[in-house]
Amino acid sequence: MIKRELYLRKIRTLYDSELIKIIIGARRSGKSVLLMQIMDELRQKGIDENHIIYMNFEDFDNYEYTDLKKFNEFVKSKIIDDKKYYLFFDEIQNVNEFERVINSFRATLNVSIFVTGSNSKILSGELSTILAGRYVSIKMMPFTFSEYLEARNENEKIENIDEAFLEFIEWGGMPQIYNASFLIEKKMYLNDLYNTVILKDIIERHNIKDINLLNRVIQFVIENIGGVVSANSITKFLKTEKINTTTDTVLNYIDFITDSMFINKVNRYNIRGKIVMSLLEKYYLADLGILQLKKSPIEKKIGGRLENIVYNELIARGYEVYIGKTDKGEIDFVVNDFGNIFYIQVADYLSSEEVVKREFNAYRNVSDNYPKYVITMDKLDYSRDGIIHKNIVDFLLNNGIKN
């Protein structure tokens, strides 16, 4: 089991903070393991085992505690002195109105609270009102490429990084996928993951009746990963398939899908006006392994997979990421690193001068002096005109980007 240092180093300084630590991410991306690693570090610091309270609300043994009163009473029954207690609540979204009890613990007890959730909505609504300014959130992703290599190297020495990267492109980074030895095991694991997300996080949570429509919307979004998608374009396509629905219904379904963090939505950013636009978003998979189950044109377009991998890497590093809009085109990513801005274009190979011009000229209408990058699989350095070219493996294994 590798240590998720990318996240641990963000949260270590908060171990004793009164701020509620909220870790969100798609199912099986490693949130529970991260909680276990935090608890291990607390024990190593000398924290008494009795002062660490862990509850997993996916565990049926804890079902009765999804009732707020029983949840409150159980936790308080475990606190028997004035020393600090460390509370860990896994998959907290299964507790209705959990915000009220969590805030009560924070306000009345000597505690440090850590929670995880597989639904992005836990950061909105009542939580943002009741806990405003009293929590910090961290979005967790499946393994990055560097984490994938670390996990693989625990069992075998990887001799060829480029071959390993091709496997990562194909199977993604869900931590448990690399415990499977055979192809059929991997596909069964991914199929189980997909069905669990669809059933528990979307169908059951939102009481969806038209499951066929949901699957068709998901399929459309997957087939257009990295492309501009709107509810209107999906609705029009479905009508050509003789499926009648409304734009509002499609919008709701897209919200349900992105709430599960199975697919992530990326807003557009008007570079000239410096504003975020909420129309014509793009979507990226939380993990490319799902493409083993769902056919998509992106399967044959390595550039689309690379773009998805770069997006996931940027999110794992904690950046804000947008799609860049210029007067005459688009830039793949506008990245905000706590006020430090940089731009990224992603392609598979700069296979001709025409392709080089296309990728580098995307910056032609960007007049500011923020750093600009082109990331590809090429080994040669094609940097020119102040625009920096990076090999994608170098970028993924080292920061490769400096502001």
Side-chain angles (χ1 to χ4, degrees):
M1 181 190 302
I2 72 165
K3 296 199 76 170
R4 303 299 299 272
E5 279 294 334
L6 194 60
Y7 306 97
L8 286 168
R9 63 173 173 257
K10 294 176 186 176
I11 205 169
R12 278 194 184 104
T13 58
L14 302 173
Y15 281 2
D16 292 306
S17 171
E18 291 185 359
L19 290 173
I20 297 166
K21 283 68 69 177
I22 301 177
I23 302 159
I24 61 170
R27 283 185 181 274
R28 305 187 194 175
S29 55
K31 302 184 299 298
S32 298
V33 170
L34 183 66
L35 289 190
M36 299 300 173
Q37 292 178 349
I38 294 170
M39 288 188 277
D40 284 343
E41 292 195 353
L42 290 173
R43 294 183 188 103
Q44 290 168 14
K45 287 173 58 178
I47 302 300
D48 190 295
E49 186 69 38
N50 293 326
H51 285 72
I52 299 174
I53 300 172
Y54 171 78
M55 300 178 73
N56 181 354
F57 289 102
E58 291 272 277
D59 186 339
F60 188 75
D61 287 345
N62 291 322
Y63 180 76
E64 64 177 303
Y65 301 118
T66 58
D67 176 85
L68 285 185
K69 186 176 180 181
K70 290 183 178 180
F71 178 26
N72 180 61
E73 290 173 349
F74 174 78
V75 172
K76 287 187 174 179
S77 72
K78 296 291 184 180
I79 296 176
I80 58 175
D81 58 44
D82 294 331
K83 294 181 180 179
K84 184 180 286 289
Y85 282 73
Y86 299 83
L87 311 182
F88 295 84
F89 304 126
D90 213 349
E91 301 295 353
I92 194 68
Q93 76 276 353
N94 291 312
V95 181
N96 290 326
E97 297 186 282
F98 71 89
E99 305 91 347
R100 300 183 184 281
V101 175
I102 295 295
N103 189 48
S104 174
F105 293 158
R106 181 202 62 79
T108 63
L109 303 173
N110 182 17
V111 294
S112 178
I113 303 172
F114 304 76
V115 303
T116 75
S118 297
N119 190 292
S120 65
K121 284 298 185 190
I122 71 171
L123 296 180
S124 60
E126 287 296 300
L127 184 141
S128 60
T129 301
I130 295 173
L131 299 179
R134 300 186 180 99
Y135 72 89
V136 59
S137 67
I138 294 173
K139 185 168 184 177
M140 191 165 196
M141 303 296 287
F143 281 164
T144 62
F145 182 54
S146 60
E147 289 178 317
Y148 150 80
L149 289 178
E150 186 178 351
R152 282 279 310 275
N153 274 319
E154 285 190 341
N155 299 319
E156 58 178 310
K157 179 67 175 176
I158 295 178
E159 302 292 343
N160 190 316
I161 299 296
D162 291 333
E163 286 184 6
F165 182 58
L166 292 177
E167 181 183 39
F168 183 73
I169 292 173
E170 183 176 7
W171 288 102
M174 279 295 177
Q176 294 179 38
I177 194 76
Y178 297 103
N179 292 330
S181 303
F182 301 101
L183 179 66
I184 188 64
E185 290 181 89
K186 292 181 179 181
K187 289 198 171 183
M188 287 175 63
Y189 168 79
L190 290 170
N191 190 62
D192 176 60
L193 169 62
Y194 177 81
N195 289 334
T196 300
V197 169
I198 300 306
L199 180 63
K200 287 194 173 183
D201 294 336
I202 303 179
I203 294 173
E204 289 183 359
R205 182 171 300 281
H206 302 286
N207 194 29
I208 289 177
K209 305 299 183 184
D210 195 340
I211 298 173
N212 178 58
L213 176 59
L214 173 66
N215 279 316
R216 296 302 289 270
V217 172
I218 291 172
Q219 184 67 38
F220 184 94
V221 174
I222 288 177
E223 288 180 356
N224 291 276
I225 288 294
V228 174
V229 172
S230 70
N232 191 45
S233 65
I234 297 175
T235 305
K236 287 180 177 178
F237 169 77
L238 291 173
K239 286 182 178 178
T240 68
E241 299 285 302
K242 300 188 176 357
I243 299 174
N244 289 318
T245 186
T246 66
T247 301
D248 285 343
T249 299
V250 171
L251 270 173
N252 286 334
Y253 279 24
I254 290 174
D255 283 345
F256 299 157
I257 295 164
T258 55
D259 286 347
S260 73
M261 291 176 284
F262 161 65
I263 292 175
N264 293 303
K265 178 173 69 175
V266 190
N267 289 324
R268 288 151 63 91
Y269 182 89
N270 187 312
I271 294 173
R272 171 174 282 189
K274 310 291 187 199
I275 57 171
V276 176
M277 306 163 69
S278 59
L279 297 175
L280 299 175
E281 300 95 347
K282 289 189 178 183
Y283 296 85
Y284 295 98
L285 285 163
D287 188 73
L288 285 176
I290 295 300
L291 291 178
Q292 293 288 339
L293 307 176
K294 294 289 184 178
K295 297 299 181 183
S296 165
I298 195 176
E299 287 184 288
K300 299 181 176 62
K301 296 178 181 178
I302 190 73
R305 285 179 177 261
L306 299 182
E307 191 175 318
N308 205 134
I309 287 170
V310 169
Y311 171 78
N312 288 352
E313 178 75 22
L314 294 168
I315 294 299
R317 293 181 186 182
Y319 299 146
E320 292 180 22
V321 184
Y322 304 96
I323 305 302
K325 181 185 181 301
T326 65
D327 291 340
K328 295 184 178 180
E330 288 190 344
I331 293 168
D332 289 334
F333 301 119
V334 178
V335 188
N336 184 349
D337 178 19
F338 293 99
N340 295 312
I341 306 295
F342 57 92
Y343 305 111
I344 292 179
Q345 277 288 102
V346 183
D348 49 4
Y349 290 98
L350 300 173
S351 55
S352 67
E353 185 60 26
E354 180 183 354
V355 177
V356 173
K357 287 181 179 178
R358 183 188 69 210
E359 298 301 328
F360 283 77
N361 286 351
Y363 294 118
R364 179 177 291 177
N365 296 301
V366 182
S367 58
D368 60 47
N369 293 317
Y370 292 132
K372 302 169 180 68
Y373 297 88
V374 174
I375 295 176
T376 74
M377 292 185 71
D378 296 284
K379 300 288 189 180
L380 295 177
D381 187 349
Y382 286 89
S383 300
R384 59 173 65 185
D385 302 323
I387 300 168
I388 303 167
H389 172 247
K390 289 286 181 183
N391 171 265
I392 189 168
V393 172
D394 291 342
F395 163 71
L396 295 172
L397 296 185
N398 308 287
N399 192 334
I401 286 180
K402 297 178 181 179
N403 293 306

